[in-house]
Amino acid sequence: MTPEIRSAWRERWRGRYSAAVGGVCLSFLLTGVGVIPGCAKNPAGGQPRPPPARAAAPVSVATVVEEDVPVEIRTIGTVEAYAAVTVKPQVSGQILEVHFTEGRDVAPGDLLFTIDPRPFQADLRKAEANLAKDTALAKDAELEAARNADLFNQGQAAQREYEKSRAAADALQASVQADAAAVENAGLQLEYCSIRSPIIGVTGRLLADRGNIVKANETVLLMINRVSPIYVALDVPEQHLASINRYRSEGELKVHVTIAGDDGSSEAGLLSFVNNEVDSTTGTIGLRATFANQDRRLWPGQFVNVVLTLTTQPGTVVVPSQAIQTGQSGPYAFVVKDDLTAESRPVMVGFTREGQTVVEKGLLPGERVVTDGHLRVVPGGKVEVKEAASSGDKAGS
C-alpha cells in the first residue's frame, strides 16, 4: 500500500473514533442532567418532597384507677396439726385388741388398745392381800400398845415394854400405808393396759398390731393429729417484723391460704403467734396462723400459698403491671392523650399485687396508659386504640 493510501485510511478511522466517543459522552451527560433534577425536585419543579407520614401505632390501653389496696406479705407455709400425740404404752406386755380404725376420728377417752391385763391383775390382788395382812397386824399391834400404855400408867409395866409395843404398832401402820400405795400403783398399772385417746383428732397408721409385744414408754403404737382447728407455720424476712408488730398492736391480722391445685376459695385465719427470736442463719422470723378448718381442706404437712394482710392503703393509684416499662432513666409509662398522641411519663412505682402495680407518683386517675404495643409507640407519635379496659382487668387488656 502506497503512503498516500495509508494516510487516507488513517484519517478516515480517526474521524469515526472521535464521533463514537463524542456520542457516548453526550449520552452520559444528558442522562446525568436528567437524573439530578429528578432527585432534587418534584415533577412540578417546586420544593423537595416531604417524608411520608408515620402510621398510627395500634395499642391496647387501660384506665388508671384509684382504689383501696391491701398491703400484703406473700410466702409459702406449712400446715401443722393443732395438737399431735405419739401414743406409747405405759406398761410392757402383749397387745390383745386394737379398737380403732386407721384414719378415723377419735374423742378423748376412746379405747384404742388393750394390753394383756392378767399379770397386772395378779399384782393388784397380791398388793391387796399384803394390805389386808398388814392392816390386821397393825390393828393387833395398836391394841397391844394400848394395853401396855395402861399398864405403864398404872406402874405395872416397864417403860421399855410400852415403847417397844408402841414402835411395833407404828411400824405396822407405816406398812399399811405402803401397802395401800402398792395397791394404788397396781391398780394404775392395770388401768394402763387399756390405752385411750388423750385428745380429739384423727388416727394415723397403725404401727403395732394385735399380738405384738410392746415395751413401756418405747414402742410407738399410733400418731393422733388434731386437724380442726389447725395451724399454718410460715417464715418471713426479718425486715417485715417491725410492720407486723405495729399493725398487730392495732388489731388482729388476717391470713389467707390457697392450696396448689385446688380451685376452691382460700381459707381465712388469724395470725396467732410471732416467734420470740429471729433465725440468724436465714434472717427470717417464724409466724403461725390459726384456721378453723371446719371442712378439713388443710391437712398436716401440706404446703400452701400464704397471704398475710397487714393493712389497707386507701385511695391508691394502680395500673396493670404490663403498663410499666423500664428504660435507662427508670420506670415509665406511655400515656395516651386526648389527641391520640403518646407521652412517655416517668413514674415511681410501689409494690405489685395480682397483676396490678401501685404507682406512687407520675400518673393520675382517669388517664389512659398503653398496656400492649409499646414497641411501635414513639413519644409524641400517634396511636390507634384497638382495645381499652379498666385497670381492674387483671388480664391487662
Side-chain angles (χ1 to χ4, degrees):
M1 180 179 296
T2 62
E4 292 80 7
I5 295 175
R6 186 181 298 108
S7 177
W9 274 102
R10 186 180 296 111
E11 292 296 330
R12 184 178 177 180
W13 280 107
R14 185 178 298 168
R16 290 181 178 180
Y17 177 78
S18 298
V21 171
V24 171
C25 292
L26 179 62
S27 176
F28 274 96
L29 180 62
L30 292 176
T31 301
V33 170
V35 169
I36 294 175
C39 293
K41 296 182 179 180
N42 57 26
Q47 298 300 320
R49 296 177 181 177
R54 180 185 292 271
V59 296
S60 298
V61 300
T63 303
V64 180
V65 298
E66 187 178 54
E67 59 185 31
D68 297 342
V69 177
V71 179
E72 301 171 338
I73 300 174
R74 294 174 175 265
T75 185
I76 303 297
T78 306
V79 181
E80 296 179 349
Y82 190 81
V85 173
T86 301
V87 179
K88 295 181 180 180
Q90 292 177 278
V91 294
S92 299
Q94 184 182 42
I95 297 178
L96 288 185
E97 293 291 341
V98 176
H99 301 279
F100 70 94
T101 303
E102 295 174 319
R104 297 295 180 87
D105 291 350
V106 291
D110 285 353
L111 185 61
L112 302 175
F113 299 90
T114 297
I115 295 177
D116 187 358
R118 291 173 295 180
F120 304 97
Q121 290 171 344
D123 290 341
L124 177 59
R125 290 193 297 268
K126 180 179 179 181
E128 291 173 340
N130 289 333
L131 175 60
K133 179 189 70 173
D134 289 341
T135 300
L137 293 175
K139 184 178 181 180
D140 181 67
E142 189 64 35
L143 292 174
E144 181 68 21
R147 284 193 298 269
N148 286 335
D150 291 340
L151 293 173
F152 174 73
N153 291 332
Q154 296 173 8
Q156 298 177 5
Q159 183 178 359
R160 177 57 181 165
E161 290 297 328
Y162 163 69
E163 293 175 348
K164 185 177 181 180
S165 61
R166 183 71 264 169
D170 291 343
L172 286 173
Q173 189 60 41
S175 296
V176 169
Q177 293 177 356
D179 291 340
V183 170
E184 183 179 355
N185 182 66
L188 188 60
Q189 298 298 307
L190 180 59
E191 184 180 340
Y192 287 157
C193 291
S194 298
I195 302 176
R196 300 180 181 275
S197 174
I199 63 170
I200 182 173
V202 179
T203 58
R205 185 165 59 92
L206 178 63
L207 301 177
D209 212 336
R210 178 180 178 181
N212 286 339
I213 303 297
V214 297
K215 191 172 182 180
N217 302 315
E218 290 189 12
T219 308
V220 178
L221 305 177
L222 173 69
M223 291 288 296
I224 301 176
N225 287 334
R226 184 172 182 180
V227 297
S228 181
I230 203 166
Y231 291 132
V232 171
L234 56 145
D235 295 322
V236 299
E238 62 178 306
Q239 57 262 33
H240 294 303
L241 180 58
S243 298
I244 292 172
N245 287 334
R246 181 173 73 253
Y247 292 118
R248 192 183 182 204
S249 65
E250 299 173 359
E252 295 180 322
L253 300 184
K254 295 182 179 180
V255 181
H256 291 80
V257 300
T258 55
I259 305 169
D262 187 350
D263 296 332
S265 60
S266 63
E267 289 286 319
L270 296 174
L271 184 67
S272 56
F273 170 75
V274 177
N275 201 5
N276 59 0
E277 63 178 355
V278 174
D279 188 337
S280 59
T281 59
T282 61
T284 59
I285 182 72
L287 310 177
R288 191 166 63 191
T290 304
F291 296 79
N293 200 34
Q294 295 293 341
D295 55 3
R296 297 189 177 182
R297 293 179 59 204
L298 302 178
W299 212 247
Q302 196 173 31
F303 289 99
V304 291
N305 299 312
V306 183
V307 179
L308 170 61
T309 303
L310 299 179
T311 186
T312 299
Q313 291 183 352
T316 303
V317 175
V318 295
V319 296
S321 298
Q322 56 267 43
I324 305 300
Q325 303 293 303
T326 303
Q328 294 181 349
S329 300
Y332 68 93
F334 282 119
V335 178
V336 178
K337 297 183 177 181
D338 294 338
D339 60 357
L340 295 182
T341 59
E343 175 191 354
S344 178
R345 183 91 56 83
V347 295
M348 181 183 298
V349 298
F351 60 89
T352 298
R353 172 183 178 269
E354 296 182 355
Q356 303 276 70
T357 296
V358 172
V359 178
E360 299 177 352
K361 185 178 180 181
L363 296 177
L364 297 176
E367 291 184 316
R368 295 186 299 172
V369 291
V370 175
T371 59
D372 186 39
H374 302 84
L375 293 179
R376 302 183 63 179
V377 178
V378 295
K382 285 284 187 177
V383 296
E384 177 186 355
V385 177
K386 64 179 181 179
E387 188 175 358
S390 69
S391 181
D393 186 357
K394 296 176 184 177
S397 55

